[in-house]
Amino acid sequence: MAKNKLVLIDGNSIAYRAFFALPLLSNEKGIHTNAIYGFTMMLMRILEEEKPTHMLVAFDAGKTTFRHKTFGEYKGGRQKTPPELSEQFSFLRELLDAYNIKRYELPEYEADDIIGTLAQQAAKDDYEVKIISGDKDLTQLATDKITVDITKKGITDVDSYTPAFIEEKYGLNVDQIIDMKGLMGDSSDNIPGVPGVGEKTAIKLLKEFGTIETLLESIDKVSGKKLKEKLEDNKEQAIMSKQLATIMTEAPVEVTVEELLYEGFDKKKVVDIFKELSFNSLLDKLGEDGETVTEDLEDISFEILEEVKEEHFAKENFFMVEVLDENYHRADIQGIALVNETGNYFIPTEVALQSEEFTAFASDHKRKKTVFDAKRAIVALKWKGIELNGIDFDFIIASYIVNPSETSTDLAEIARKKGYYQIETDEAVYGKGAKRAVPHQQKVADHLVRKTFAMQEMKESFIHELKDNEQLELFEELEMPLTLVLGEMEALGIKVDKARLEEMGTDLGEKLEKIEEKIFDLAGEKFNINSPKQLGVILFEKLGLPPVKKTKTGYSTSADVLEKLAEKHEVIQQILHYRQLGKLKSTYIEGLLKVIHEDSHKIHTRFNQALTQTGRLSSIDPNLQNIPVRLEEGRKIREAFVPSHEDWVIFAADYSQIELRVLAHIANDEKLIEAFKEDADIHTKTAMDVFHVSEDEVTSNMRRQAKAVNFGIVYGISDYGLSQSLGITRKDAKIFIDRYLESFPGVKEYMEDSVLDAKDKGYVTTLLHRRRYLPEITSSNFNLRSFAERTAMNTPIQGSAADIIKKAMIDMANRLEEENMKSKVLLQVHDELVFEAPKDEIEKLKKIVPEVMEQAVELKVPLKVDYSYGSTWYDAK
DNA sequence: TCGCGCACGC
DNA sequence: GACGTACGTGCGCGAA
């Protein structure tokens, strides 16, 4: 039988080591994790390399120990444990429990003593013993059976102290370690030793005399007058120091070595903790062991329906429509799962689609459905002609609301964070990239039913969390209804004039060719203008222009750099123009042509409702939130966006200065509130206050600068960011910001409070209780911290504005329906809603759109909406 | 396939 | 003083 091997870990020592060796990491909720992380790394290494049969982590038990009776000041003058470390100990204990590793502490004794006692007992029973610590004191325990690993730099790099190693390193035998320490003392434990005696002297003396006791007896033989005096004066102190440094090997430890048996860890629990602490790299490591957490799936029973019947439905249903295509518009459905009190079912797509019972169930508002990714299910079914109603809970939304930094879009990952493992990731089942494939029906059915069943298991927990966060209303009254509105917008799509786009494309192509020729001519050679690398070589090497800025990979050729060089060479203007037109052609003309739907001749974007950290939406495939508007040439693209019926119009309405109005409200700043109540030009008003001038003294330059400052406030940019946008120094930018804050003391106070609030709670909130966690707000890294601070100031502003327009979208959809109108909302562009409307509804829209949008919430300042309409999106200006 | 530089919107 | 700086999406390039 293989020999028993006991590993004893000095818990406090290793935790300290890890804490100071690693930067102050934290998870998304702001819990610091560096000590736990380092400790875990060490633990994983030990388990792998040492393969112990027995294991224990010993901790110090508290403030006083028996050593304090000998010497009151023992460990005196020690720095208090940093709170960032102490908060980690409870997780460490949890982690050890998950690993099934015994931990132990004993009042009045230190971890050293526990380790010493057990090490000797085990050695006596012929165990091989390994001790892990960062404290060299432990080396006194080394024998031929006990090896002491002391961490060097970091935590995983160690020196193994054996008697031979000690002999070689110090020229002393193991027993003399305590004598050495007695002479040297130890400042960290406040052990005095003999003043003036360090490692070198101590070793020299011990080589000659053997022990402190014999040294003190034969003190006359010591060479060197000073040294002799010091030894004389500190005789008792030296003996006491030796005593303090001696590890007690007969502590009243109540566990036996046999009880320390290590039989492997509880993978589920460990994974759970890793997830909670965001130890993603360690999670991967666990996976590499070949035992993925999904291996131990328990069988789940379900019925594959060949016919859907009324008896399969219940009032509360968990429902999943599997659409594997990332783009769910007109995509295949791989199957449908249904879990409720009557049972677990898989409904093959073809069965569902032709079943009247199923269609009736899907469209029934009273049959409540909990789903994962409601919009995907609604839109995919809509393309198949099936209406899906009654959805009142979407996991993707719930997960995003409780923590928007939670990026996983896979139910399995969300489930694992909740400690539920009876489910595989989609990637594990379907593969990814080129390997993506749909397995046989039984497997798909099993996977789908598992996912659906998982929702049933986790729903309560999410509701609980939403309630705790005071976010249930945000979830139920805002985000869930919004999902339905967005689904309708996406499915409806927006009509584009394909011929117009193609025409513009041809036109752009010709222009680009001409510019290209000019550029090659001016540069004296042909090259790829679209390659920043090649362009850099031409501009900064061949033409000898001065490089303004560098990037990681070479010269920067960005627009702001080129603009600085425009005077110096004709080619620059041409390049800027080439870039501008090239962007239009590739991204907007070709990009949009590619996504025009074959059947509907429309463009169907997808709004991501669970992505941004601020609560805004995003739009993909295509992105219809960044269609050019600033420059005329680009703005023309909007001519291709047209109503879907003849004699209809595009009607666009946007909030005026919504973020600054929100700021006025949240900050409760009198001056800002007043300005909006008067409906003043806010940039002019800002300029008046910042530059202390009257309205007619505000120059266009002052207004421009004030506008940039307002822009900075809204988007939370730094003084550096402002300096870049204004082309001034960072110092001057800071002066601007400071003057702004002096002019608006309410805003200043809000900014300060917001940062304090974030530090205190770890997150900031919006008007409608949306949250954003900011763990880095306590970082010692200036950049990370500054960024978090600006985010703390900015997110409530941007996020509340997002809340408001979302609310307006829901109200708008309801109002249009109530009024029996044909007009539809097509797009949302952050502060703007785009409609299509029959001409005879224009007058009514002019009344109700501003009304609904302005009344979406009530603030201390009025909300203002501007609108316009025309035969294309371009004309709605 | 991926990271990068660049550019479009709010 | 720190050293890279609102939020997004999508394109072409060039290295792997």
Side-chain angles (χ1 to χ4, degrees), chain A residues 306-319:
Chain A
E306 280 165 28
E307 194 183 344
V308 187
K309 291 183 190 147
E310 186 64 27
E311 67 193 51
H312 299 128
F313 306 133
K315 211 170 161 212
E316 300 281 332
N317 303 276
F318 296 83
F319 189 63

Side-chain angles (χ1 to χ4, degrees), chain A residues 489-504 587-605 621-625 627-628 635-646 650 826-827 834-836 871-874:
Chain A
M489 290 163 60
E490 294 178 6
L492 182 60
I494 182 164
K495 175 91 182 251
V496 285
D497 183 343
K498 195 175 171 196
R500 182 85 192 91
L501 277 180
E502 282 165 346
E503 206 179 300
M504 287 192 250
T587 302
Y588 296 106
I589 303 291
E590 286 159 10
L592 289 175
L593 283 171
K594 253 185 268 178
V595 291
I596 296 176
H597 199 286
E598 288 179 3
D599 305 343
S600 68
H601 305 291
K602 288 180 173 184
I603 287 181
H604 303 266
T605 185
D621 236 14
N623 181 353
L624 291 183
Q625 290 182 320
I627 303 302
R635 193 171 192 150
K636 284 260 189 288
I637 300 281
R638 295 182 174 220
E639 287 179 350
F641 289 84
V642 296
S644 62
H645 305 282
E646 277 204 27
I650 299 291
L826 303 177
L827 301 174
V834 179
F835 302 73
E836 63 177 359
S871 57
T872 72
W873 194 5
Y874 177 87

Side-chain angles (χ1 to χ4, degrees), chain A residues 48 81 100 104 217 256 258 294 307 391 521 615 665 695 850:
Chain A
E48 191 172 318
T81 307
N100 292 325
Y104 190 67
E217 277 162 28
T256 64
E258 295 79 46
T294 49
E307 194 183 344
I391 292 177
D521 200 36
H665 172 85
E695 186 170 350

Side-chain angles (χ1 to χ4, degrees), chain A residues 616-634:
Chain A
R616 278 186 170 185
L617 300 174
S618 79
S619 154
I620 54 167
D621 236 14
N623 181 353
L624 291 183
Q625 290 182 320
N626 72 343
I627 303 302
V629 66
R630 229 182 63 246
L631 300 172
E632 180 56 25
E633 271 172 307

Side-chain angles (χ1 to χ4, degrees), chain A residues 587-766:
Chain A
T587 302
Y588 296 106
I589 303 291
E590 286 159 10
L592 289 175
L593 283 171
K594 253 185 268 178
V595 291
I596 296 176
H597 199 286
E598 288 179 3
D599 305 343
S600 68
H601 305 291
K602 288 180 173 184
I603 287 181
H604 303 266
T605 185
R606 275 136 56 219
F607 290 103
N608 197 334
Q609 197 187 346
L611 182 134
T612 71
Q613 298 303 298
T614 53
R616 278 186 170 185
L617 300 174
S618 79
S619 154
I620 54 167
D621 236 14
N623 181 353
L624 291 183
Q625 290 182 320
N626 72 343
I627 303 302
V629 66
R630 229 182 63 246
L631 300 172
E632 180 56 25
E633 271 172 307
R635 193 171 192 150
K636 284 260 189 288
I637 300 281
R638 295 182 174 220
E639 287 179 350
F641 289 84
V642 296
S644 62
H645 305 282
E646 277 204 27
D647 279 333
W648 281 41
V649 293
I650 299 291
F651 187 103
D654 68 299
Y655 281 107
S656 161
Q657 303 296 350
I658 188 169
E659 280 99 348
L660 289 175
R661 286 170 200 262
V662 164
L663 173 63
H665 172 85
I666 304 185
N668 201 14
D669 185 286
E670 275 180 44
K671 274 165 93 177
L672 210 48
I673 291 174
E674 194 50 38
F676 281 119
K677 280 191 175 161
E678 291 167 8
D679 198 21
D681 175 322
I682 196 63
H683 303 314
T684 302
K685 187 78 176 55
T686 306
M688 287 163 62
D689 282 325
V690 170
F691 297 108
H692 305 299
V693 294
S694 65
E695 186 170 350
D696 47 5
E697 288 168 323
V698 174
T699 64
S700 65
N701 195 42
M702 285 157 93
R703 187 177 182 280
R704 181 183 66 89
Q705 306 212 41
K707 190 175 171 181
V709 174
N710 279 329
F711 181 85
I713 297 290
V714 166
Y715 287 128
I717 63 173
S718 59
D719 49 2
Y720 178 86
L722 182 62
S723 76
Q724 289 298 299
S725 67
L726 282 176
I728 57 177
T729 63
R730 221 184 68 201
K731 225 177 178 179
D732 288 341
K734 191 167 168 5
I735 292 171
F736 269 130
I737 293 172
D738 287 344
R739 273 208 246 160
Y740 176 93
L741 294 175
E742 272 168 42
S743 305
F744 298 100
V747 174
K748 185 175 188 202
E749 199 183 330
Y750 155 74
M751 297 285 176
E752 289 163 357
D753 289 350
S754 198
V755 170
L756 287 177
D757 206 35
K759 284 198 169 136
D760 178 39
K761 296 194 303 223
Y763 61 87
V764 289
T765 55
T766 66

Side-chain angles (χ1 to χ4, degrees), chain A residues 70 75 80 128 213 226 309 326 342 388 454 563 634 730 815 817:
Chain A
T70 313
K75 293 205 169 171
K80 231 182 99 195
E128 186 186 340
E213 289 76 14
K226 272 256 168 79
K309 291 183 190 147
E326 194 194 320
T342 75
L388 180 54
E563 270 153 27
R730 221 184 68 201
R815 184 69 181 271
E817 176 147 0

Side-chain angles (χ1 to χ4, degrees), chain A residues 804-861:
Chain A
I804 293 170
I805 191 161
K806 283 178 168 178
K807 170 81 164 34
M809 291 170 76
I810 296 163
D811 293 350
M812 199 71 236
N814 289 336
R815 184 69 181 271
L816 290 175
E817 176 147 0
E818 279 166 25
E819 306 265 354
N820 270 317
M821 291 171 73
K822 297 195 189 76
S823 300
K824 295 282 181 198
V825 181
L826 303 177
L827 301 174
Q828 185 252 47
V829 192
H830 307 309
D831 65 352
E832 176 187 9
L833 294 180
V834 179
F835 302 73
E836 63 177 359
K839 279 186 177 157
D840 59 13
E841 287 186 6
I842 292 174
E843 287 309 311
K844 199 159 184 183
L845 278 187
K846 282 159 99 170
K847 178 173 166 287
I848 66 168
V849 170
E851 184 182 305
V852 169
M853 288 175 74
E854 286 170 3
Q855 303 306 318
V857 295
E858 189 159 346
L859 303 183
K860 293 171 189 134
V861 293

